[in-house]
C-alpha cells in the first residue's frame, strides 16, 4: 500500500511541475489517494478483522469496476472513424482567455485532418463560455478553424453548452435528419463516454474521431474519466426518472 501511495504522490508532484499548478484538473486526487494508502498501511494492522474484510471487499469490487470501465475506454479510443461522415461535432474544452489549450487544439487538428480527406463533411463546434474565458469555446474554435482555411459554409457554431451532454443535445439542431452520420471529435480517453451520451440523446449513426493526449497527462485523464463515467450513469438515471415523472 505504501509503495502505491508513494507512486501516487510522486505522480502528483510530476503533474504540479509539468502544469505549474498544484490543483490542475483532477491532480489533487493523486495526493489524496497517496495519503490514504500510506495511512492505511500504518493503521491497517490495528483494525479489527471484520473491518479489514469490508475494506478489502469494497476495494476488490471497485477495482473490477475500474478495470471494466477502463477497458471500454481503451477499446473505443482505438476505433477508427468511417469515411465520408456528414458531420463532425468538436466538443469544447477549456480555453485561457481567448487562447486555445493543447487539449482543444488536438481535437481541432483531428477534425481538420479528417475534413481534408472528406471534403463534404461539415463541422459543428460546440462549447459555451466558462470561468476565465473571454469568449465562448465555440467562438475560439471557429476562429482557429477559419484561420486555417476551413470554409465558413461548412461550419456551424453551438455556443451555449457547458457539459458533454449539452454539447451533444444542443448540436443535434444542426443535423438535417435524425440518421445523419456523425463523428464526435474528442480526446482518446473521452470517446467512450461521448458516444454513450450521444446514443442516449438520440443519435442513431454516431462514431468517434480520436484526438491524442499528452502522455504525461494521460494517466490523470484516464482515472478521471472513470469517475466521469460513473457520474454520467447516475445523471442518466436521474434524467430518465425526471422524464417519467413529467409525463
Amino acid at each position: 500500500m505504501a509503495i502505491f501511495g508513494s507512486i501516487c504522490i510522486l505522480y502528483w508532484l510530476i503533474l504540479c511541475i509539468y502544469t505549474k499548478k498544484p490543483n490542475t484538473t483532477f491532480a489533487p486526487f493523486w495526493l489524496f489517494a497517496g495519503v490514504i494508502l500510506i495511512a492505511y498501511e500504518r493503521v491497517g494492522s490495528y483494525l479489527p478483522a471484520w473491518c479489514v474484510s469490508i475494506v478489502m471487499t469494497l476495494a476488490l469490487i471497485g477495482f473490477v469496476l475500474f478495470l471494466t470501465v477502463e477497458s471500454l475506454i481503451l477499446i473505443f479510443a482505438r476505433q477508427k472513424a468511417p469515411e465520408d461522415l456528414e458531420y463532425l461535432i468538436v466538443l469544447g474544452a477549456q480555453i485561457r482567455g481567448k487562447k486555445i489549450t493543447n487539449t482543444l487544439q488536438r481535437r481541432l487538428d483531428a477534425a481538420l485532418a479528417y475534413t481534408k480527406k472528406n471534403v463534404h463533411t461539415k463541422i459543428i463546434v460546440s462549447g459555451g463560455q466558462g470561468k476565465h474565458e473571454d469568449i465562448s469555446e465555440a467562438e475560439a474554435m471557429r476562429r482557429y478553424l477559419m484561420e486555417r482555411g476551413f470554409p465558413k459554409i461548412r461550419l456551424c457554431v453551438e455556443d451555449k453548452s457547458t457539459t458533454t451532454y449539452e454539447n451533444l443535445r444542443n448540436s443535434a439542431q444542426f443535423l438535417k435528419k435524425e440518421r445523419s452520420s456523425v463523428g464526435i471529435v474528442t480526446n482518446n480517453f473521452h470517446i467512450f463516454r461521448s458516444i454513450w451520451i450521444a446514443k442516449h440523446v438520440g443519435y442513431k449513426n454516431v462514431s468517434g474521431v480520436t484526438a491524442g493526449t499528452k502522455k504525461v497527462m494521460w494517466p490523470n485523464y484516464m482515472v478521471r474519466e472513470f469517475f466521469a463515467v460513473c457520474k454520467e450513469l447516475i445523471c442518466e438515471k436521474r434524467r430518465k426518472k425526471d422524464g417519467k415523472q413529467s409525463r
Side-chain angles (χ1 to χ4, degrees):
M1 289 290 186
I3 293 175
F4 288 116
S6 299
I7 292 172
C8 287
I9 293 174
L10 176 61
Y11 183 57
W12 172 73
L13 290 171
I14 291 171
L15 290 176
C16 291
I17 294 169
Y18 181 78
T19 62
K20 299 178 182 179
K21 294 188 296 183
N23 60 341
T24 191
T25 306
F26 198 70
F29 165 83
W30 298 97
L31 175 61
F32 176 77
V35 171
I36 292 296
L37 289 171
I38 292 172
Y40 183 79
E41 177 79 12
R42 295 291 182 88
V43 304
S45 59
Y46 299 101
L47 297 175
W50 64 267
C51 187
V52 174
S53 296
I54 291 175
V55 171
M56 296 306 294
T57 300
L58 291 175
L60 179 60
I61 293 171
F63 184 66
V64 171
L65 179 61
F66 177 78
L67 285 183
T68 302
V69 173
E70 294 295 296
S71 297
L72 289 170
I73 292 172
L74 289 173
I75 291 169
F76 274 75
R78 294 176 63 86
Q79 291 182 351
K80 187 176 180 181
E83 300 295 326
D84 298 319
L85 292 170
E86 295 174 72
Y87 298 90
L88 296 183
I89 300 176
V90 185
L91 301 181
Q94 185 182 32
I95 60 174
R96 296 188 180 94
K98 299 178 183 179
K99 185 179 178 181
I100 294 286
T101 56
N102 180 268
T103 295
L104 188 51
Q105 182 180 339
R106 287 172 181 262
R107 299 180 186 184
L108 292 166
D109 289 345
L112 286 171
Y114 183 92
T115 53
K116 284 181 179 178
K117 297 179 180 179
N118 302 274
V119 296
H120 299 294
T121 303
K122 295 181 179 180
I123 293 180
I124 303 168
V125 289
S126 178
Q129 183 175 351
K131 292 182 179 179
H132 311 300
E133 297 179 340
D134 296 337
I135 57 177
S136 70
E137 294 164 7
E139 175 60 19
M141 289 190 282
R142 183 193 69 82
R143 295 180 185 182
Y144 184 91
L145 292 174
M146 293 193 67
E147 285 171 1
R148 283 150 185 80
F150 190 80
K152 184 178 180 180
I153 195 171
R154 289 165 57 199
L155 186 59
C156 303
V157 178
E158 186 289 300
D159 61 359
K160 303 300 181 185
S161 55
T162 58
T163 65
T164 301
Y165 177 84
E166 291 178 359
N167 285 145
L168 296 167
R169 183 193 63 190
N170 297 345
S171 295
Q173 64 183 300
F174 297 105
L175 307 184
K176 286 186 177 180
K177 55 184 183 296
E178 190 179 43
R179 297 197 66 84
S180 294
S181 58
V182 178
I184 301 173
V185 187
T186 188
N187 304 91
N188 45 22
F189 61 86
H190 193 214
I191 292 286
F192 167 66
R193 180 161 58 98
S194 300
I195 292 178
W196 179 31
I197 294 172
K199 290 181 177 180
H200 278 98
V201 169
Y203 288 73
K204 305 298 182 182
N205 187 4
V206 61
S207 55
V209 178
T210 303
T213 306
K214 284 186 176 181
K215 291 181 180 180
V216 69
M217 299 297 295
W218 187 74
N220 184 56
Y221 289 142
M222 284 291 290
V223 175
R224 184 190 69 172
E225 193 65 12
F226 165 74
F227 291 102
V229 169
C230 294
K231 179 182 177 181
E232 182 57 35
L233 179 62
I234 295 171
C235 290
E236 182 59 31
K237 288 184 177 180
R238 287 178 178 173
R239 285 193 290 264
K240 286 183 178 180
K241 184 179 179 181
D242 292 341
K244 290 179 180 179
Q245 290 178 343
S246 62
R247 292 174 186 174

